[in-house]
């Protein structure tokens, strides 16, 4: 019994060892099959076709491989002769991979892709700008009235604060300031018109005398200019006026329409000034509620800075224009040039159009002095105008405006030209403060975004959508 027991125990051990070997063989087989699957089904299919049925009674390649693993024998040869006794199949040749056709985006040079993406974005921006310009042109009176109201509010706001400190209520201070400011501007306009009408007869006589002096001066020149030539030029001018009399008449009728639009715009500007002086903070809070929540904090910080820039520009320009008007007006008054006070007012108003306004008003003063008082007084007026403009450009503007409004002269010239082409004189007046405010807002928003990126540990990105296919790798983040 003991021998039978030992024999049974040995058989049990052998059976368990065989079971372990079978388990190991099955695991090995599964590993090999996984590797074969990773190499691809194409190689397995090619091996099956090349081997064919083996000597083991038509067994397949996988069956013979499984049997070899289980028995511990050598693996089957892939080049074995087919089971039907045929010849050994010819060796397989390596397949040459076909060249991959590139994607359309990869076939286009990188510079062309950059130009294309920039081009369609520019087209979108141009379309948006065109739509905005069409909308603004259709409501140009409203836009200009609102812009004028902003500028006037920036100039009158200190008076409201001063009246409040005197103990006057907010409503009364607002009404006194707004109505008083518009009344003062109306009186100045009335005074200029009254002076022109009052001195029109004298001015016509002096203009005729000046034209006669110019005529005599032309006859004295060493050129072949005769009195017949001058008479012919005069007749040509009279004929042109007669031929274009209808156009001049229509221009006069359009002047009536312009006057109606002017008073309408002045009424709208008055309401804008009243509401902004009375409840400017409430209007700003209402506007912030229209801004998306994600951008509200940045816009809320940029708004007060933009208002500081606008008020600094308007108040500084008013002071500079007043000094220019006093300097040139006193010079004209001393030289007894007719309409010295209206010319001084014109100089004050034209100062709100940078560069161009000073040149135009100064030229007008010189021409009036030349026609009425002669060449000597005209040269003196020219010297006074140049002196005042030099003092303005090198002393007044840097000292009064300071660094609050820093706009490059090229941007000033281009902005004034663009504003005058789009909206005439009002556009030229609004152009420079608009550029200054835009520069302030953009600078603040850029600094605000950089601060947010620095707090979040993000690197500054340009936002380009072609960074993934750029020829140079992006900087590490």
């Amino acid at each position: 019994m003991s021998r039978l027991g030992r024999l049974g125990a040995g058989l049990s051990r052998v059976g368990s060892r065989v079971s372990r070997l079978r388990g190991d063989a099955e695991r090995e087989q599964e590993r090999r099959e996984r590797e074969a699957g990773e190499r691809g089904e194409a190689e397995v299919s090619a091996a099956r076709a090349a081997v064919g049925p083996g000597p083991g009674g038509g067994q397949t390649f996988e069956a013979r491989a499984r049997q070899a693993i289980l028995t511990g024998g050598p693996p089957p040869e892939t080049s074995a002769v087919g089971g039907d006794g045929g010849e050994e199949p010819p060796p397989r040749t390596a397949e040459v991979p076909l060249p991959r056709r590139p994607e359309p985006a990869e076939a286009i040079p990188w510079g062309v892709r950059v130009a294309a993406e920039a081009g369609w974005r520019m087209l979108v921006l141009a379309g948006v700008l065109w739509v905005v310009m069409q909308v603004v042109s259709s409501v140009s009176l409203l836009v200009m009235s609102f812009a004028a109201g902003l500028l006037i509010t920036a100039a009158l706001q200190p008076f409201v604060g001063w009246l409040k400190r005197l103990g006057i209520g907010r409503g009364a201070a607002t009404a006194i300031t707004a109505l008083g400011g518009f009344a003062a501007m109306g009186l100045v306009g009335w005074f200029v018109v009254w002076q022109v009408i009052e001195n029109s007869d004298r001015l016509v006589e002096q203009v005729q005398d000046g034209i006669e002096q110019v005529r005599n001066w032309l006859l004295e020149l060493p050129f072949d200019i005769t009195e017949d030539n001058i008479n012919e030029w005069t007749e040509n001018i009279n004929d042109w006026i007669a031929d274009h009399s209808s156009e001049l008449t229509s221009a006069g009728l359009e002047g009536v329409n312009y006057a109606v639009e002017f008073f309408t715009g002045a009424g709208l500007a008055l309401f804008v000034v009243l509401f902004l002086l009375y409840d400017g903070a409430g209007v700003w809070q209402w506007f912030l509620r229209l801004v998306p929540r994600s951008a509200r904090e940045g816009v809320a910080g940029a708004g007060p800075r933009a208002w500081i820039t606008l008020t600094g520009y308007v108040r500084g320009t008013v002071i500079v224009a007043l000094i220019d008007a006093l300097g040139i007006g006193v010079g004209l008054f001393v030289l007894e040039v007719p309409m010295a006070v209206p010319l001084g007012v014109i100089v004050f108003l034209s100062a709100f159009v940078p560069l161009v306004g000073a040149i135009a008003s100064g030229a007008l003063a010189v021409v009036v002095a030349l026609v009425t008082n002669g060449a000597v007084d005209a040269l003196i007026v020219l010297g006074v105008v140049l002196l005042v403009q030099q003092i303005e450009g090198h002393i007044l503007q840097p000292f009064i405006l300071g660094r609050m409004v820093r706009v490059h002269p090229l941007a000033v010239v281009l902005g004034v030209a663009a504003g005058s082409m789009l909206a005439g004189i009002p556009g030229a007046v609004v152009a420079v403060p608009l550029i200054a405010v835009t520069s302030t807002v953009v600078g603040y928003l850029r600094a605000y975004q950089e601060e947010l990126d620095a707090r979040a540990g993000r690197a500054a990105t340009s936002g380009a959508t072609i960074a993934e296919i750029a020829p140079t790798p992006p900087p590490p983040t």
Side-chain angles (χ1 to χ4, degrees):
M1 294 297 292
S2 59
R3 290 182 179 179
L4 290 175
R6 287 195 296 273
L7 179 61
L11 291 175
S12 299
R13 286 194 296 271
V14 171
S16 61
R17 183 174 298 176
V18 171
S19 298
R20 285 196 301 272
L21 290 175
R22 286 181 64 87
D24 294 337
E26 290 177 355
R27 286 191 293 271
E28 182 68 19
Q29 176 191 353
E30 292 176 357
R31 185 183 65 80
R32 288 175 179 267
E33 288 178 354
R34 284 197 304 271
E35 291 178 354
E38 293 174 356
R39 288 193 300 268
E41 292 295 332
E43 294 183 9
V44 176
S45 300
R48 291 174 182 174
V51 173
Q59 290 180 333
T60 61
F61 177 76
E62 286 112 321
R64 287 187 283 111
R66 186 182 296 110
Q67 184 177 2
I69 292 172
L70 293 175
T71 58
E77 295 291 336
T78 58
S79 58
V81 180
D84 55 354
E87 296 180 357
E88 182 177 355
R92 292 175 59 249
T93 58
E95 296 182 359
V96 180
L98 296 176
R100 185 177 66 87
R101 180 175 295 179
E103 296 293 333
E106 296 178 357
I108 301 175
W110 183 78
V112 177
R113 293 199 296 269
V114 174
E117 290 208 11
W120 72 259
R121 284 175 170 82
M122 292 298 294
L123 289 176
V124 171
L125 290 177
V128 172
L129 182 61
W130 182 83
V131 172
V132 171
M133 290 177 61
Q134 294 300 317
V135 173
V136 170
S137 63
S138 61
V139 291
S140 58
L141 180 62
L142 181 62
V143 173
M144 288 302 171
S145 300
F146 181 74
L150 281 178
L151 296 178
I152 296 173
T153 302
L156 297 180
Q157 192 177 28
F159 294 98
V160 176
W162 178 67
L163 291 176
K164 287 181 180 179
R165 288 191 294 271
L166 293 179
I168 301 176
R170 183 175 63 173
T174 300
I176 292 172
T177 303
L179 297 178
F182 274 82
M185 289 185 287
L187 288 176
V188 170
W190 171 81
F191 179 76
V192 170
V193 174
W194 174 68
Q195 284 291 309
V196 172
I197 296 174
E198 188 73 16
N199 294 278
S200 60
D201 296 336
R202 179 187 174 190
L203 183 62
V204 169
E205 295 177 358
Q206 291 180 337
V207 168
Q208 291 176 351
D209 294 340
I211 292 174
E212 188 66 25
Q213 293 177 4
V214 172
R215 177 190 179 97
N216 297 332
W217 177 71
L218 290 175
L219 292 175
E220 294 176 358
L221 290 176
F223 300 106
D224 191 13
I225 299 176
T226 62
E227 189 171 357
D228 295 334
N229 298 130
I230 298 176
N231 293 332
E232 182 180 358
W233 296 340
T234 305
E235 291 177 0
N236 292 334
I237 294 174
N238 294 329
D239 293 339
W240 183 88
I241 294 174
D243 294 337
H244 296 79
S245 59
S246 60
E247 297 179 3
L248 296 176
T249 304
S250 62
L253 295 177
E254 289 180 0
V256 177
N257 295 331
Y258 291 151
V260 173
E261 290 184 0
F262 172 78
F263 286 109
T264 304
L268 292 174
L270 175 59
F271 278 101
V272 171
V273 171
L274 283 172
F275 282 105
L276 290 181
L277 288 177
Y278 182 77
D279 193 21
V283 174
W284 175 244
Q285 294 298 325
W286 171 82
F287 173 76
L288 285 179
R289 286 195 293 270
L290 302 178
V291 179
R293 187 179 300 273
S294 59
R296 189 173 300 171
E297 185 177 356
V299 175
R305 290 165 176 80
W307 182 250
I308 291 173
T309 300
L310 181 63
T311 54
Y313 172 82
V314 172
R315 296 169 191 173
T317 304
V318 168
I319 296 174
V320 172
L322 184 61
I323 295 175
D324 289 349
L326 289 176
I328 296 177
V330 169
L332 295 174
F333 182 79
V334 170
L335 294 174
E336 297 182 354
V337 176
M339 297 189 304
V341 177
L343 288 174
V345 174
I346 293 174
V347 170
F348 173 80
L349 296 177
S350 63
F352 287 90
V353 183
L355 299 180
V356 180
I359 295 174
S361 60
L364 178 63
V366 173
V367 169
V368 172
L370 175 64
V371 173
T372 57
N373 290 24
V376 177
D377 288 349
L379 291 176
I380 296 175
V381 172
L382 178 61
V384 172
V385 170
L386 293 177
L387 178 62
V388 171
Q389 290 181 357
Q390 290 298 316
I391 294 175
E392 171 195 344
H394 294 87
I395 298 176
L396 296 179
Q397 286 190 354
F399 178 74
I400 295 175
L401 295 178
R403 296 186 178 181
M404 187 173 298
V405 180
R406 296 180 63 89
V407 181
H408 196 275
L410 179 60
V412 172
V413 174
L414 295 179
V416 170
S420 61
M421 287 188 292
L422 292 175
I425 296 178
V429 173
V430 176
V432 176
L434 180 61
I435 294 174
V437 170
T438 303
S439 177
T440 300
V441 171
V442 172
Y444 172 78
L445 292 179
R446 184 188 299 113
Y448 176 77
Q449 186 61 42
E450 290 176 355
E451 184 179 355
L452 289 182
D453 292 338
R455 290 178 180 178
R458 297 190 300 264
T461 57
S462 61
T465 59
I466 58 171
E468 297 179 357
I469 58 174
T472 55
T477 57

